[in-house]
Amino acid sequence: AQKITQTQPGMFVQEKEAVTLDCTYDTSDPSYGLFWYKQPSSGEMIFLIYQGSYDQQNATEGRYSLNFQKARKSANLVISASQLGDSAMYFCAMSGTNTGFQKLVFGTGTRLLVSP
Amino acid sequence: DSGVTQTPKHLITATGQRVTLRCSPRSGDLSVYWYQQSLDQGLQFLIQYYNGEERAKGNILERFSAQQFPDLHSELNLSSLELGDSALYFCASSPGHLSYEQYFGPGTRLTVT
């Protein structure tokens, strides 16, 4: 079975600083994908970044980067130069070969608050 | 805007009733996924359809059913509603049957009173 663990229920960061949101995972799948989604207070789920388990390089998308450490089974999200609009819930998720890559398993989320 | 549309945005209904949630995937996407987000269960996968056929099933209750129509829109039917069914229901879509880059709709917030 797949499991995602996000141990930080809440994080605080000042505007323009970088922040790391932790995510560890557990899976027996030989191949898997890791995802981060942002959920603002309005409720929608916004796809941020994807990392494949066989990707050699860490994924980056603008101010978002994924610090993928396969041996540690961690996939931390790094947000550089935080903005007030980054305040939201952030969910780490994964899919894998055992589920045919057909469903996402989500963690419990981390609430990020960016202060001026 | 992800390109995935869901209607209605909000739904308030009573226990024992039946409701239908509707989802239109992004243009060109063949897969539709349904998820439930509740306070006690978090975000859970319910079911996936690909090009009209059911492809994967998660923790979907027998009182719930879904289908995907020839025009690729999907409907999630919830019947004999209970208070615990109150949740945010998301539809997501992706081009193929794999879940890379699932794009989520804005969700339907269901309140059962």
Side-chain angles (χ1 to χ4, degrees):
Chain A
Q2 299 166 335
K3 186 176 179 183
I4 294 282
T5 302
Q6 293 180 257
T7 57
Q8 305 157 315
M11 287 286 286
F12 295 90
V13 66
Q14 279 205 309
E15 205 176 2
K16 298 178 187 173
E17 291 185 349
V19 63
T20 297
L21 306 184
D22 293 342
C23 171
T24 58
Y25 60 91
D26 191 22
T27 183
S28 56
D29 290 335
S31 178
Y32 50 89
L34 295 153
F35 306 77
W36 278 92
Y37 284 84
K38 172 184 177 181
Q39 186 177 37
S41 57
S42 51
E44 73 269 30
M45 294 287 288
I46 302 168
F47 167 77
L48 295 178
I49 197 166
Y50 164 79
Q51 177 86 41
S53 59
Y54 285 103
D55 291 344
Q56 295 296 318
Q57 292 188 322
N58 287 342
T60 60
E61 288 286 347
R63 294 184 300 111
Y64 304 108
S65 61
L66 201 153
N67 184 1
F68 179 47
Q69 298 187 46
K70 196 170 183 177
R72 289 184 157 189
K73 293 191 173 180
S74 74
N76 298 339
L77 178 70
V78 180
I79 306 174
S80 62
S82 297
Q83 301 172 356
L84 295 178
D86 293 334
S87 293
M89 281 290 287
Y90 288 81
F91 291 93
C92 180
M94 74 177 301
S95 65
T97 47
N98 285 347
T99 56
F101 289 97
Q102 288 161 336
K103 70 172 188 178
L104 292 173
V105 173
F106 285 86
T108 52
T110 296
R111 184 171 297 280
L112 176 66
L113 184 61
V114 181
S115 60
Chain B
D1 186 346
S2 67
V4 179
T5 60
Q6 288 186 250
T7 56
K9 195 167 176 61
H10 300 279
L11 199 49
I12 301 173
T13 189
T15 54
Q17 295 298 304
R18 173 190 170 95
V19 297
T20 297
L21 312 183
R22 183 188 169 103
C23 167
S24 292
R26 293 187 319 159
S27 177
D29 284 358
L30 299 178
S31 269
V32 168
Y33 310 79
W34 286 97
Y35 291 86
Q36 179 195 58
Q37 185 179 29
S38 62
L39 284 175
D40 52 347
Q41 301 282 346
L43 264 160
Q44 286 199 98
F45 168 75
L46 295 178
I47 198 163
Q48 179 209 4
Y49 278 82
Y50 173 73
N51 204 20
E53 294 192 2
E54 182 185 305
R55 286 298 294 257
K57 218 166 185 176
N59 298 325
I60 187 166
L61 300 172
E62 284 192 13
R63 300 183 285 108
F64 296 0
S65 65
Q67 54 185 326
Q68 186 179 28
F69 295 86
D71 67 352
L72 300 177
H73 91 271
S74 177
E75 292 181 357
L76 179 66
N77 300 296
L78 315 176
S79 61
S80 302
L81 285 167
E82 301 174 0
L83 295 177
D85 298 328
S86 295
L88 190 51
Y89 290 85
F90 286 107
C91 166
S93 75
S94 67
H97 63 277
L98 302 181
S99 60
Y100 298 150
E101 295 185 33
Q102 287 184 25
Y103 292 91
F104 281 70
T108 292
R109 185 169 294 280
L110 173 67
T111 302
V112 182
T113 62

